[in-house]
């Protein structure tokens, strides 16, 4: 929730899914370099069952309002978003 906002829910959008951590964290770093807040979501039982990322993947998520800018930044990282 943003300060001063009446909206209690924050919609998150998955902009890309990865099967390994290095690629996911490289993409996360790229978005952060463009000033886009993001996080990696995963369902691997807190890291105790890493094989579960093979089926669900590591999801790079952003706020709904940043989704199109984030997708463009991932498609064309050299141009800037």
């Amino acid at each position: 929730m943003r300060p001063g906002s009446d909206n209690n829910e924050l919609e998150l959008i998955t902009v890309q899914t990865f099967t390994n951590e290095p690629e996911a964290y490289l993409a996360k770093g790229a978005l952060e370099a463009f000033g886009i807040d993001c996080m990696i979501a995963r369902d691997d039982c807190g890291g105790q069952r890493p094989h579960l990322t093979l089926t669900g993947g590591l999801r790079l998520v952003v706020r709904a309002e940043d989704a199109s800018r984030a997708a463009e930044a991932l498609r064309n990282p050299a141009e800037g978003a």
Side-chain angles (χ1 to χ4, degrees):
M1 186 168 130
R2 289 187 177 180
S5 171
D6 292 332
N7 187 2
N8 289 329
E9 291 187 32
L10 181 63
E11 185 180 1
L12 298 176
I13 303 291
T14 299
V15 290
Q16 198 164 347
T17 303
F18 302 89
T19 57
N20 64 62
E21 275 191 22
E23 287 181 359
Y25 280 99
L26 282 171
K28 182 179 186 290
L31 292 186
E32 289 173 343
F34 287 118
I36 301 170
D37 291 330
C38 59
M39 68 179 194
I40 295 173
R42 61 196 317 159
D43 187 14
D44 63 356
C45 298
Q48 297 300 308
R49 306 234 190 271
H51 64 279
L52 293 176
T53 59
L54 295 176
T55 56
L58 299 142
R59 299 178 321 277
L60 185 59
V61 297
V62 299
R63 291 185 186 106
E65 63 213 39
D66 294 331
S68 62
R69 197 169 134 233
E72 181 63 28
L74 291 172
R75 272 194 302 275
N76 302 310
E79 293 178 18

